[in-house]
Amino acid sequence: MADIIGNLREELKDLNQKILTHPSLQKPSREVLNRFVENQLYIIPHDLKALSHVLSRTIALDEVEFFKMLVDGDYEALKALHDLAYELNIKLDYSRLSLKAVSYTHFLSWLALNGSPGDVAVALTVNLPVWGENVKKLGEHARILNIKSTKIFDLFSGPFGILEEKAEKISERYLDWGRYRFIAKTIQQYELDFWDSLIE
């Protein structure tokens, strides 16, 4: 096997380290939590639509299974997000959205329209463990702040082993190293931008 995901992560280790040690997560902050929710109220529904579109284009059974798992996961996360938003008394407000925060979901939508299932599998699987680790930290901070509706943080915290195994096979099918490197670097830069936006 080519270990596509592992090689891409190795190439991105410096960028990923910036995300994993981001200053927005150095201490519990209600303001950071609020900004997270404000932007996720826009991001998760659009991610869900993008993933549903990719699912509608798949033919191979392993691709159907992979993207169905992701759609189901985002659907559960959307419900949990609304519980958290209700507790925090936050509603979707376009005037509160950060352009940097929502760049990730716009790129995912572009991939859903223009990319192969391999492109999308690479983007998501390179990203998920880094995203999951940061969301796990934010969930710990939310509990310190006595927030009750913390299911969303658990849903995004992994493990991701089954998804990674399926993604590796899908990415091998559409292998294009130059394209995959561009996609992986872009999605992780947008991930860093998201966390930057929470303290700007």
Side-chain angles (χ1 to χ4, degrees):
M1 295 179 67
D3 192 19
I4 295 166
I5 306 301
N7 280 306
L8 291 170
R9 285 183 184 149
E10 178 63 24
E11 293 177 10
L12 292 169
K13 62 182 180 181
D14 291 340
L15 178 55
N16 286 340
Q17 189 61 22
K18 289 181 181 179
I19 300 169
L20 292 168
T21 58
H22 199 272
S24 65
L25 296 172
Q26 296 306 304
K27 61 182 180 180
S29 167
R30 182 66 177 262
E31 183 177 0
V32 167
L33 181 62
N34 285 354
R35 289 185 180 181
F36 175 89
V37 173
E38 287 167 354
N39 285 286
Q40 288 299 322
L41 284 169
Y42 176 91
I43 292 168
I44 293 180
H46 287 85
D47 283 357
L48 181 56
K49 291 174 184 177
L51 292 171
S52 298
H53 181 71
V54 182
L55 176 60
S56 74
R57 294 171 51 210
T58 57
I59 298 174
L61 181 58
D62 60 343
E63 295 174 9
V64 173
E65 292 172 345
F66 177 76
F67 288 106
K68 178 64 161 54
M69 289 174 66
L70 291 168
V71 167
D72 289 346
D74 262 21
Y75 173 65
E76 292 300 320
L78 181 61
K79 292 190 292 182
L81 174 65
H82 280 283
D83 290 340
L84 176 58
Y86 180 80
E87 180 177 348
L88 298 177
N89 194 30
I90 295 174
K91 296 180 180 179
L92 176 61
D93 180 348
Y94 284 87
S95 70
R96 299 282 298 170
L97 296 177
S98 163
L99 296 179
K100 289 180 70 173
V102 302
S103 296
Y104 177 105
T105 195
H106 293 165
F107 184 60
L108 182 59
S109 294
W110 181 87
L111 284 174
L113 287 172
N114 298 287
S116 70
D119 293 338
V120 184
V122 161
L124 293 170
T125 315
V126 165
N127 175 257
L128 275 175
V130 179
W131 160 255
E133 188 62 31
N134 274 19
V135 170
K136 182 179 179 180
K137 292 176 189 174
L138 187 59
E140 292 169 356
H141 292 175
R143 293 180 179 95
I144 292 172
L145 295 168
N146 296 315
I147 303 300
K148 306 301 181 185
S149 304
T150 58
K151 183 179 179 180
I152 185 172
F153 305 110
D154 298 329
L155 289 171
F156 279 136
S157 294
F160 304 109
I162 295 175
L163 283 171
E164 291 193 16
E165 182 179 342
K166 291 181 181 297
E168 186 69 27
K169 293 178 181 178
I170 295 168
S171 62
E172 286 180 1
R173 188 173 300 143
Y174 300 91
L175 181 58
D176 182 333
W177 275 112
R179 186 173 173 88
Y180 283 178
R181 285 189 173 100
F182 165 75
I183 289 167
K185 184 176 181 179
T186 302
I187 203 79
Q188 290 309 90
Q189 181 60 54
Y190 287 147
E191 182 69 28
L192 178 60
D193 288 347
F194 173 80
W195 295 102
D196 284 346
S197 76
L198 302 186
I199 53 175
E200 292 180 347

